[in-house]
Amino acid sequence: MAAPMSWRRLVYSVYTPAITGVFTRISDRLLRARDRRGGSSVLLLAPLLAEADPAPHRVSRPTGSAGAQGTDGLCAHFRWMEEHVPAFRVPGTHIHVLTSPDQFYQAMKARIKTAKRRVVMASLYLGTGQLEQELVDCMEEALQRSQANAHAPDLKVSILLDYTRGSRGQINSRTMLLPLLQRFTSQMRVSLYHTPDLRGLLRLLVPQRFNETIGVQHIKVYLFDDSIIISGANLSDSYFTNRQDRYVLLENCREVADFFSDLVDAVGDVSLQLQPDDSVNMLEGMVHPYKGNRQDFSAAARQRIMEVVNTAHIRQRLTSRSEDSEDEGMSEGEDDTWVFPLVQMKPLGIQVDEQVTQRLLTDAGPDSTVFLTSGYFNLTRAYMRLVLGAGANYRILTASPEVNGFFGAKGVAGAIPAAYIHIARQFYNKVCRLGQQERVHLHEYHRSQWTFHAKGLWYYLQGQDRPCLTLIGSPNFGYRSVHRDLEAQIAIVTENEELQSQLQEEQETLYRRSTEVSDSTFEQPDRHVQLWVKLVTPLIKNFF
């Protein structure tokens, strides 16, 4: 055992994400023949370092005018989405934009306590502090009440987390939830998604601190009976106190809640199931994510997840046709808002969100304005080409170094804010070289003692002073979101003026705390980027 341990310590001491690609290729060459003969517990890994943005499946062009103004033609302008993903009509009055971490936290606690049928929560991880324990206590209280109340005995709690992040350290997400699982075994489910790309030599050698860089469950959905919060925030104390994100609450929207409940169940079905003794296993008949055949796992997972998407899509198209026979366009009554769920899981062959996002950026024409935000500004090459080549005005908001979530981190992670300075400078210089300064603007968010994690976009059509569309959820528009992780967000298209005003206020409030980037920004002493950081920035773009 001495020699293997020596090698492991050596790898730990010099590990950088670059080694990922090396061991990927070693596994590929050594094990390809074995896999062809019937599968292996240690299988191929797709190359992880080379960024490739293959053109997604082409989406047909809309029949409506790209220059639709006001709410006239709003349906026609975005109706193409309904052809490719489920479309849920809801009253705009049922959608509320939450604006602060505390508001997000209190909304979850209140709804967990009053839930009667289901609590479904999907997140990267559950933290281990006092605020997180209070959330767990709320679940315990609801489950206790369910057992004691003959009118609500069927409350089910389902939690979906990432395996690697949720298992990190001796006290972790799993240990936080084990008491509930042990006490309410028949009512409680904890699923831990494990990426199929972390396997073989890679899984053996990558340190625990870095294994989540290979790919994670990144969906953030918090569902209580028929109400749901879609966000980019995790279940951790900073997201409840001083980490700015975005959050939208859909109250009494049963069809939307049913869809995301089914989606989380589907991902849960292809995940490892936490047992009361802290062991994990797969559901019977399901391919193991890192011991089974990589292609077989992805095919089975894709089929299970797309079954949810396709079933909802067919149902909604039938409903839409029935409604359209009586009324063209969006309803003029209460149902003045459409919700389109967008899923991105490229390791499993699912890229719906990427297709829709590219289409939105492609169709953004002159005199339209897109406000786009990401806590980690790292556009894929495809998205960057569309932003720089489109006709719309762009206002892009990202974290200043001091509100970057990695600011002050130890080791390699401490260089991440500087790497994002370098990425921002490269983008800004490209905008200037192309003479796009009047059309594409870059902003930095500032807030003392806070960090910035907001993501999404607000879309203003020509002639409108309020946004009619927003994207909100877990994707960051970066390489990881598109190629590595499981992501989900929603596109909200609304004619409801009150909801449009809420979205406008949300956007303006975030941008109010920003400054616009200029040449002088990068001349400041704290914006100096060391050469070695510039050299490793391509790796950071792919893994962080």
Side-chain angles (χ1 to χ4, degrees):
M1 292 297 293
M5 289 304 294
S6 176
W7 275 108
R8 180 178 289 194
R9 282 195 296 270
L10 176 62
V11 171
Y12 280 23
S13 68
V14 302
Y15 174 80
T16 70
I19 291 177
T20 297
V22 175
F23 285 108
T24 291
R25 288 160 176 81
I26 291 174
S27 295
D28 189 6
R29 291 179 180 272
L30 289 178
L31 302 171
R32 179 178 291 131
R34 186 175 172 185
D35 292 336
R36 286 174 177 168
R37 290 195 300 268
S40 164
S41 63
V42 185
L43 299 170
L44 315 181
L45 291 177
L48 297 176
L49 287 178
E51 177 176 1
D53 286 307
H57 176 70
R58 260 183 126 47
V59 180
S60 59
R61 306 296 300 176
T63 56
S65 167
Q69 298 188 24
T71 58
D72 296 333
L74 183 59
C75 170
H77 193 88
F78 297 108
R79 189 61 174 267
W80 57 269
M81 288 192 205
E82 188 183 23
E83 299 172 7
H84 304 278
V85 298
F88 300 102
R89 286 189 180 186
V90 302
T93 53
H94 287 198
I95 300 180
H96 311 284
V97 177
L98 309 181
T99 58
S100 72
D102 182 66
Q103 196 177 9
F104 165 60
Y105 180 62
Q106 299 301 334
M108 285 196 296
K109 287 178 63 177
R111 283 158 182 79
I112 291 172
K113 290 179 180 179
T114 58
K116 293 180 172 60
R117 292 186 295 109
R118 60 185 175 187
V119 172
V120 179
M121 308 185 83
S123 182
L124 176 62
Y125 68 103
L126 171 68
T128 58
Q130 182 58 40
L131 294 179
E132 297 92 321
Q133 184 59 54
E134 288 180 21
L135 270 186
V136 175
D137 292 344
C138 288
M139 295 181 215
E140 181 179 24
E141 179 183 329
L143 287 164
Q144 284 178 326
R145 186 180 64 252
S146 170
Q147 288 188 341
N149 187 352
H151 298 291
D154 297 325
L155 176 66
K156 303 292 184 184
V157 175
S158 178
I159 310 293
L160 171 66
L161 305 173
D162 181 70
Y163 177 90
T164 56
R165 188 63 183 269
S167 302
R168 182 191 293 177
Q170 292 192 347
I171 301 175
N172 52 42
S173 304
R174 292 163 64 163
T175 60
M176 291 287 289
L177 294 168
L178 276 175
L180 287 186
L181 190 61
Q182 292 162 351
R183 183 176 175 186
F184 304 99
T185 305
S186 64
Q187 293 175 271
M188 185 86 181
R189 180 190 191 190
V190 180
S191 303
L192 302 168
Y193 176 83
H194 192 295
T195 176
D197 290 328
L198 182 63
R199 54 174 52 234
L201 289 173
L202 198 62
R203 191 174 194 274
L204 179 67
L205 295 170
V206 175
Q208 190 179 66
R209 184 184 179 193
F210 292 99
N211 57 15
E212 69 175 272
T213 63
I214 308 305
V216 295
Q217 191 301 114
H218 201 242
I219 298 168
K220 321 294 173 56
V221 168
Y222 309 109
L223 192 155
F224 322 95
D225 289 339
D226 294 334
S227 298
I228 182 171
I229 296 174
I230 304 291
S231 180
N234 289 303
L235 297 175
S236 183
D237 55 359
S238 63
Y239 292 90
F240 307 150
T241 53
N242 64 344
R243 188 158 171 76
Q244 184 64 56
D245 216 302
R246 297 182 66 209
Y247 339 81
V248 63
L249 169 63
L250 289 79
E251 291 268 36
N252 299 317
C253 296
R254 181 160 191 167
E255 286 186 319
V256 181
D258 285 347
F259 173 85
F260 278 101
S261 178
D262 291 344
L263 179 67
V264 172
D265 278 348
V267 178
D269 286 349
V270 303
S271 301
L272 293 156
Q273 307 300 304
L274 184 64
Q275 303 302 310
D277 63 356
D278 198 27
S279 64
V280 293
N281 58 36
M282 295 297 292
L283 294 179
E284 186 176 353
M286 184 58 210
V287 181
H288 198 283
Y290 64 86
K291 294 180 180 179
N293 181 278
R294 167 70 170 82
Q295 288 73 27
D296 289 348
F297 173 82
S298 293
R302 178 171 60 251
Q303 180 179 356
R304 177 69 183 90
I305 293 165
M306 288 307 296
E307 177 184 319
V308 172
V309 177
N310 292 334
T311 299
H313 191 196
I314 292 169
R315 185 186 302 120
Q316 288 304 313
R317 293 204 70 178
L318 291 174
T319 302
S320 178
R321 286 176 184 173
S322 174
E323 292 173 349
D324 286 349
S325 66
E326 302 175 7
D327 175 25
E328 285 294 320
M330 291 186 179
S331 166
E332 294 185 4
E334 286 190 338
D335 294 351
D336 51 11
T337 300
W338 283 10
V339 176
F340 302 91
L342 308 175
V343 180
Q344 182 73 13
M345 304 176 179
K346 190 165 275 188
L348 308 180
I350 300 170
Q351 55 190 92
V352 176
D353 178 67
E354 179 186 10
Q355 294 167 5
V356 171
T357 301
Q358 288 204 16
R359 174 65 182 275
L360 279 174
L361 299 181
T362 299
D363 285 358
D367 299 323
S368 295
T369 302
V370 177
F371 288 82
L372 185 151
T373 181
S374 175
Y376 304 109
F377 180 64
N378 177 21
L379 295 180
T380 66
R381 290 173 183 168
Y383 291 163
M384 188 175 296
R385 282 195 297 267
L386 292 172
V387 169
L388 295 176
N393 297 299
Y394 278 88
R395 295 273 179 177
I396 300 172
L397 177 63
T398 188
S400 60
E402 66 273 12
V403 300
N404 185 295
F406 290 96
F407 186 75
K410 297 179 180 179
V412 176
I416 292 175
Y420 280 105
I421 292 174
H422 186 52
I423 293 168
R425 183 165 195 166
Q426 288 178 317
F427 178 79
Y428 177 79
N429 289 343
K430 194 165 189 176
V431 169
C432 294
R433 281 199 309 272
L434 295 172
Q436 302 287 336
Q437 303 96 309
E438 297 301 315
R439 189 181 64 81
V440 181
H441 302 262
L442 190 60
H443 298 251
E444 288 186 341
Y445 184 88
H446 303 270
R447 194 171 186 180
S448 178
Q449 304 301 313
W450 281 61
T451 56
F452 184 70
H453 198 247
K455 61 206 68 157
L457 64 77
W458 301 261
Y459 191 110
Y460 291 72
L461 281 175
Q462 179 182 354
Q464 290 188 339
D465 57 5
R466 293 187 298 261
C468 62
L469 177 147
T470 191
L471 296 183
I472 181 169
S474 65
N476 278 302
F477 304 105
Y479 183 87
R480 284 201 59 163
S481 287
V482 172
H483 294 281
R484 293 192 186 283
D485 300 337
L486 303 194
E487 307 278 11
Q489 64 178 338
I490 56 175
I492 300 175
V493 178
T494 185
E495 294 179 342
N496 184 282
E497 293 186 359
E498 172 58 30
L499 178 55
Q500 289 180 348
S501 294
Q502 287 186 58
L503 293 171
Q504 179 188 15
E505 177 62 24
E506 177 197 33
Q507 175 261 303
E508 291 180 348
T509 298
L510 290 175
Y511 278 72
R512 232 177 262 132
R513 293 186 177 273
S514 74
T515 57
E516 185 168 349
V517 170
S518 65
D519 291 328
S520 62
T521 302
F522 301 106
E523 295 172 1
Q524 299 172 19
D526 62 347
R527 301 308 173 94
H528 173 72
V529 180
Q530 297 181 45
L531 177 60
W532 75 269
V533 175
K534 294 179 181 180
L535 293 176
V536 301
T537 293
L539 300 175
I540 291 175
K541 289 177 70 174
N542 281 2
F543 289 90
F544 295 92

